[in-house]
Amino acid sequence: KNVILSYIKLLRYKFFKHENFIIISIKIHYHKIIHLKPFLYKQIYPPLPPMKDSSNSSNNLDKLIKIENDIDESVPFLASDEKNSNMKEINNLPTPIPTVKPWVHFVAGGLGGMCGAIFTCPFDVVKTRLQSSVYQNMYKSNSNKSVFNHFKETCLILHNVYKMEGTRSLFKGLGPSLIGVIPARSINFFTYGYSKEIFKKFDYFKGNEESSLLHLISGINAGIVTSTVTNPIWLIKTRLQLDKATKNEYKNSLDCIKKIIKNEGFFAMYRGLSASYLGSIESTIQWILYEQMKILIKKRSDLLNEKTKLNETIDWIYRSSSAGFAKLIASLITYPHEVVRTRLRQAPMEGDKPKYKGLIQCFKLVIKEEGFISMYGGLTPHLMRTVPNSMIMFGSWEVFTMLLSKF
């Protein structure tokens, strides 16, 4: 600031021959000089008074000449144009992240979750059946098979389900799934985004708004809130997906709710909640990885000289792919909780009592009876569903967020 003011003082005495003009042009952006270019403006200061004393006139003339020389030497350092390196440096400054209103996260998250759930529902049906003990004999899998064979086996199961039970069976449980996905994703994205905004205001996170710790706390908070609110919906979805086509124990979602409350009590709707809380670790890991990869993608984008529609589209594809990759890593780390949660919601009976009584007991009993490898039953269709689901969901969420932010 002091340098700028000093040069302005010099510039106001810079006169062109026979004209009262000065050179002034300063444009400031983000408190940094990004453009300084000579322009001619009419002199707003009175011209210098006539010089009466020749000796004083000579001294004054020498001073003016010295000032002119200083100005001429300094102008090249101050002036710039579009091709100047200073200008390029400013153009490459990181683009500020706009603040998104909480309701936008809520609506966009629900719409993104809906898109992902519809496209990947058949894989969810296969995954749930492979996790369940009801279909263990029907879909017995060799754990030593290669990844390609597991993929082939999953496609074969999809074909058999379609052939034996019809097209509608591939989308069995989609109704309660959508009823669960839309509020679950809305709550998750809303809670995560709102938690981040709240925690950013703490002194600890000032100047470090994108730290992994901030993402960790926000992700845990979002996971706990989402699991508590939506657990009954996921329980109904699981029961309907495990309901055999020949048995038809549950006619629809409402009938399933009535029978569960009547036969098992109201708190049966929260079976598997402890496993759901454990599952919030998966979503938290996904959020952390996704956010860190987003930072890398943004840094890459900031290094580009031009912001074009093509580059923006490529960045969007990278971010969507990052969501899928983050989900892949998180699923491989935390998948066993999915099997335990399915067993607890399935609630098989052993005599007159439930076979699985709690989270730890279920873990121990499944490993004892079926081996540790059973904790990864249905992993292939799970990954075939969740990875593209995350890509579609997060990609759609970004698009809807951009569109809704205009309102």
Side-chain angles (χ1 to χ4, degrees):
K1 180 179 177 183
N2 292 333
V3 172
I4 295 170
L5 292 176
S6 298
Y7 283 126
I8 289 176
K9 289 179 181 178
L10 293 175
L11 289 171
R12 61 177 290 191
Y13 292 106
K14 171 77 175 177
F15 291 94
F16 288 89
K17 190 174 182 180
H18 306 303
E19 296 289 344
N20 293 328
F21 289 98
I22 60 170
I23 302 175
I24 295 179
S25 173
I26 296 177
K27 185 177 178 183
I28 299 177
H29 184 57
Y30 291 121
H31 307 292
K32 294 181 186 241
I33 303 174
I34 62 169
H35 196 63
L36 185 60
K37 190 174 182 179
F39 287 97
L40 299 181
Y41 291 93
K42 286 188 177 181
Q43 171 67 1
I44 57 175
Y45 302 101
L48 292 175
M51 299 178 184
K52 296 179 180 179
D53 188 355
S54 61
S55 61
N56 290 336
S57 297
S58 176
N59 291 334
N60 289 336
L61 183 60
D62 292 337
K63 289 180 180 179
L64 279 176
I65 292 172
K66 187 177 184 305
I67 291 173
E68 284 194 53
N69 291 334
D70 290 339
I71 292 172
D72 290 335
E73 291 177 7
S74 62
V75 164
F77 295 98
L78 289 172
S80 68
D81 56 28
E82 289 76 3
K83 296 181 180 180
N84 190 275
S85 61
N86 292 332
M87 178 65 75
K88 291 181 181 179
E89 183 180 349
I90 295 303
N91 285 338
N92 290 333
L93 284 175
T95 306
I97 301 174
T99 302
V100 180
K101 296 178 181 178
W103 72 267
V104 173
H105 282 306
F106 186 86
V107 177
L111 292 173
M114 179 185 69
C115 293
I118 292 173
F119 282 105
T120 59
C121 184
F123 293 110
D124 190 38
V125 173
V126 175
K127 178 213 71 169
T128 304
R129 292 192 176 191
L130 287 174
Q131 287 176 346
S132 169
S133 60
V134 173
Y135 288 85
Q136 283 292 309
N137 294 327
M138 187 181 298
Y139 304 131
K140 202 142 190 178
S141 175
N142 183 0
S143 59
N144 294 321
K145 289 182 179 179
S146 65
V147 174
F148 174 76
N149 286 331
H150 276 293
F151 176 81
K152 184 178 178 181
E153 181 186 50
T154 300
C155 294
L156 183 63
I157 292 172
L158 279 172
H159 176 71
N160 290 337
V161 170
Y162 165 75
K163 187 176 179 180
M164 296 172 61
E165 303 176 32
T167 305
R168 294 185 64 181
S169 63
L170 294 173
F171 293 89
K172 205 164 190 178
L174 179 61
S177 180
L178 287 178
I179 295 172
V181 163
I182 293 174
R185 296 308 175 188
S186 295
I187 293 168
N188 190 270
F189 280 95
F190 167 79
T191 308
Y192 180 81
Y194 192 63
S195 298
K196 274 182 66 177
E197 293 302 319
I198 292 175
F199 291 128
K200 278 181 183 179
K201 296 177 182 178
F202 290 7
D203 292 337
Y204 183 83
F205 293 109
K206 285 184 179 178
N208 193 19
E209 287 82 2
E210 294 300 329
S211 69
S212 298
L213 180 60
L214 177 62
H215 301 151
L216 174 66
I217 297 172
S218 302
I220 292 174
N221 189 37
I224 291 174
V225 172
T226 304
S227 298
T228 303
V229 174
T230 61
N231 192 81
I233 300 171
W234 298 125
L235 183 134
I236 294 165
K237 186 207 80 166
T238 302
R239 293 289 182 94
L240 287 173
Q241 286 182 337
L242 297 178
D243 187 28
K244 292 183 179 180
T246 54
K247 188 176 181 181
N248 283 328
E249 183 180 354
Y250 306 119
K251 297 177 182 178
N252 49 46
S253 300
L254 185 61
D255 181 60
C256 183
I257 295 171
K258 289 179 179 178
K259 288 182 177 178
I260 289 173
I261 295 176
K262 181 180 178 181
N263 299 328
E264 304 172 41
F266 175 77
F267 289 103
M269 301 293 289
Y270 283 90
R271 276 185 179 152
L273 181 60
S274 55
S276 294
Y277 286 151
L278 188 62
S280 65
I281 297 174
E282 177 185 353
S283 63
T284 302
I285 294 173
Q286 182 185 7
W287 273 117
I288 294 172
L289 294 175
Y290 172 70
E291 291 281 12
Q292 294 303 310
M293 285 187 280
K294 267 183 67 177
I295 293 172
L296 295 177
I297 294 168
K298 187 174 181 300
K299 287 180 179 178
R300 171 197 168 276
S301 179
D302 290 335
L303 292 175
L304 298 176
N305 291 330
E306 295 182 1
K307 307 289 183 182
T308 63
K309 290 291 183 183
L310 177 61
N311 289 333
E312 291 177 359
T313 303
I314 292 173
D315 287 344
W316 176 77
I317 293 173
Y318 282 160
R319 290 192 297 271
S320 300
S321 301
S322 297
F325 180 74
K327 186 66 176 179
L328 171 66
I329 301 300
S331 296
L332 291 174
I333 294 172
T334 63
Y335 185 76
H337 93 274
E338 290 268 357
V339 176
V340 173
R341 185 172 62 185
T342 299
R343 298 294 179 93
L344 290 171
R345 287 174 179 170
Q346 174 195 342
M349 303 299 290
E350 198 170 53
D352 296 332
K353 297 180 180 180
K355 182 176 181 180
Y356 304 116
K357 300 173 183 178
L359 182 67
I360 305 300
Q361 184 263 352
C362 183
F363 262 111
K364 291 180 177 179
L365 190 59
V366 171
I367 293 173
K368 181 180 178 181
E369 292 182 349
E370 305 169 32
F372 180 77
I373 198 67
S374 64
M375 301 303 293
Y376 283 88
L379 177 61
T380 302
H382 175 73
L383 295 178
M384 289 173 66
R385 180 187 72 88
T386 56
V387 172
N389 180 282
S390 292
M391 294 174 65
I392 295 169
M393 180 175 63
F394 277 79
S396 302
W397 166 65
E398 284 202 11
V399 172
F400 288 124
T401 298
M402 180 185 67
L403 295 175
L404 293 172
S405 295
K406 296 179 181 179
F407 293 98

